[in-house]
Amino acid sequence: MEIRRLWPEKFARDREQWTHFLAQAGLRPEQHVDQVYGLFEGQDLVATGAIFHNIIKCIAVRYDYQGGPAFNQLISGLLQVVLQQGSGQAYVYTKVETAPSFGHLGFQEISRVDSQLVFMERAMQGLPEFLAALQADDAKDVLMPEGPKGIGAIVLNANPLTLGHMALITHARQACSILHLFVVAEDLSVFPAADRLALVQEALAAFPQVRVHSTGPYLVSAATFPSYFLPEEENVTRIQARLDAQIFRRYFAPSLGITTRFVGEEPLSPATAIYNQVMAEVFQEKAPYPPLKLEVIPRVEQDGQPISASQVRQYLAQGEQDQALALVPPVTQKYLQSPQGQTIIQKLQSV
């Protein structure tokens, strides 16, 4: 058997072959895919898999080849591609029944959602090392007692950082002895991940009790979260929210002593409102680790409308830069007026 690359985005024949093969396995093609590979016996496609950055997706093995070497050969080939791309970590979201097969190839389970999904990684420096690095970075700062206020956390995309984000951060900072800010590391937003992280760090540099971190690959957005193997009637948003909440409660919160997570209310986004609801449920479920408090903060408004990053991007796309600048703090204003910021604005306006 031989692994060959398929080009469904370029060639109709490859696209038809790939989507037909997935459909026979009860799967749907994923939108966010960088590379697609097939395992062939002669000219017959017997297995397929895809890669998005360092996430393995869309794994399917023809029925009469299941239980044999096809799965191992396919996954080993995909892992080699991930390694050649310079990543020392590989991740997979898979069905519960196929998780043991990945386990035999060195993948470790991070979390699962009931009987619907398992999230696994294969890494030299994985989640335990990531958490240890968070703790080490935290220890470098001036130690501050937890006190009666406790330790809080916010996870934000900051695409870009707005006055709404700053209001949420200010409230949480005043309510906590220490506040941990996690900026989503996934680089699929209009504003690059490194820039978003740098803006948040700059905006909070004057507050030593605020610690800014990257989420790493462990708290993801809908763009990375796969739905290809979930039944269409399943609420994908709820499943992703449960997975994220479980990972945060089980790993992130105990590592840093976090007692409260702060979020903004979501009058505009039904998906994010579902996220907040599911988080509240997961944080209070019976588990072998401490419960968490979820505090929902009203969104600040301007001219009767909630301030949102999506509104800022819309203003920028429409050429209404003054309106956009009125919704963001000085660090974001400076960035938007820089050559790099102007390049992003041009991209928004060209869509």
Side-chain angles (χ1 to χ4, degrees):
M1 291 183 289
E2 178 187 11
I3 295 179
R4 306 174 200 161
R5 183 156 181 191
L6 298 172
W7 302 88
E9 74 283 6
K10 291 184 178 181
F11 304 118
R13 182 178 181 277
D14 283 3
R15 181 169 58 253
E16 292 169 4
Q17 186 179 32
W18 183 54
T19 56
H20 179 69
F21 191 91
L22 291 177
Q24 287 183 318
L27 305 178
R28 300 183 300 278
E30 277 276 290
Q31 178 182 0
H32 292 288
V33 166
D34 295 327
Q35 302 175 54
V36 176
Y37 290 87
L39 181 66
F40 289 84
E41 184 81 74
Q43 296 303 312
D44 294 333
L45 180 63
V46 300
T48 186
I51 295 171
F52 179 69
H53 296 180
N54 58 353
I55 299 173
I56 294 175
K57 293 185 171 187
C58 299
I59 302 300
V61 179
R62 206 170 77 183
Y63 179 79
D64 51 334
Y65 279 79
Q66 294 177 8
F71 177 85
N72 287 2
Q73 184 175 347
L74 175 66
I75 301 303
S76 297
L78 295 176
L79 286 171
Q80 185 65 28
V81 173
V82 172
L83 183 64
Q84 290 172 349
Q85 293 177 163
S87 178
Q89 300 86 25
Y91 301 90
V92 66
Y93 300 82
T94 187
K95 299 177 182 179
V96 172
E97 56 267 29
T98 56
S101 297
F102 284 98
H104 292 320
L105 294 176
F107 283 83
Q108 302 292 321
E109 178 177 330
I110 294 177
S111 190
R112 67 173 60 199
V113 177
D114 304 322
S115 62
Q116 297 161 312
L117 172 145
V118 181
F119 178 39
M120 310 179 77
E121 75 172 350
R122 188 178 188 271
M124 293 293 292
Q125 299 288 319
L127 180 57
E129 291 77 17
F130 181 84
L131 297 173
L134 283 181
Q135 293 172 321
D137 286 343
D138 194 41
K140 292 177 185 176
D141 295 322
V142 177
L143 293 178
M144 302 177 65
E146 177 180 333
K149 291 185 177 181
I151 299 176
I154 296 173
V155 178
L156 70 165
N157 198 25
N159 185 36
L161 183 68
T162 70
L163 293 175
H165 293 125
M166 294 303 298
L168 174 63
I169 292 168
T170 298
H171 174 93
R173 178 174 57 81
Q174 294 172 347
C176 299
S177 297
I178 297 173
L179 176 65
H180 293 280
L181 291 183
F182 294 93
V183 181
V184 174
E186 186 179 76
D187 212 353
L188 291 176
S189 301
V190 176
F191 294 84
D195 293 358
R196 291 186 284 105
L197 179 63
L199 286 175
V200 175
Q201 290 172 329
E202 183 179 352
L204 280 302
F207 304 101
Q209 75 272 37
V210 179
R211 320 286 169 78
V212 181
H213 317 280
S214 166
T215 61
Y218 301 106
L219 301 173
V220 301
S221 81
T224 293
F225 185 79
S227 60
Y228 61 92
F229 62 85
L230 297 172
E232 291 192 46
E233 64 270 16
E234 295 284 1
N235 189 320
V236 175
T237 300
R238 292 190 66 86
I239 294 173
Q240 185 199 349
R242 176 162 287 274
L243 180 67
D244 267 3
Q246 288 176 175
I247 291 172
F248 189 88
R249 181 184 174 188
R250 180 177 180 180
Y251 299 110
F252 282 68
S255 294
L256 296 171
I258 295 166
T259 54
T260 304
R261 180 161 163 180
F262 297 86
V263 297
E265 67 176 355
E266 284 297 337
L268 302 178
S269 170
T272 308
I274 291 173
Y275 241 79
N276 290 350
Q277 177 188 351
V278 173
M279 269 196 293
E281 296 169 0
V282 172
F283 286 176
Q284 293 301 314
E285 288 176 349
K286 185 177 180 180
Y289 23 88
L292 282 176
K293 179 183 177 183
L294 183 72
E295 186 169 337
V296 182
I297 308 304
R299 293 277 291 271
V300 296
E301 297 183 350
Q302 186 174 89
D303 298 328
Q305 294 295 321
I307 296 176
S308 68
S310 60
Q311 182 64 67
V312 172
R313 296 194 302 273
Q314 182 177 339
Y315 279 142
L316 293 174
Q318 295 171 346
E320 299 174 337
Q321 188 162 318
D322 289 343
Q323 289 90 329
L325 293 177
L327 300 181
V328 299
V331 292
T332 308
Q333 292 177 0
K334 179 182 175 182
Y335 176 86
L336 291 173
Q337 293 167 335
S338 71
Q340 190 166 0
Q342 289 297 304
T343 299
I344 291 175
I345 292 172
Q346 291 172 8
K347 290 180 179 178
L348 284 168
Q349 292 176 349
S350 65
V351 174

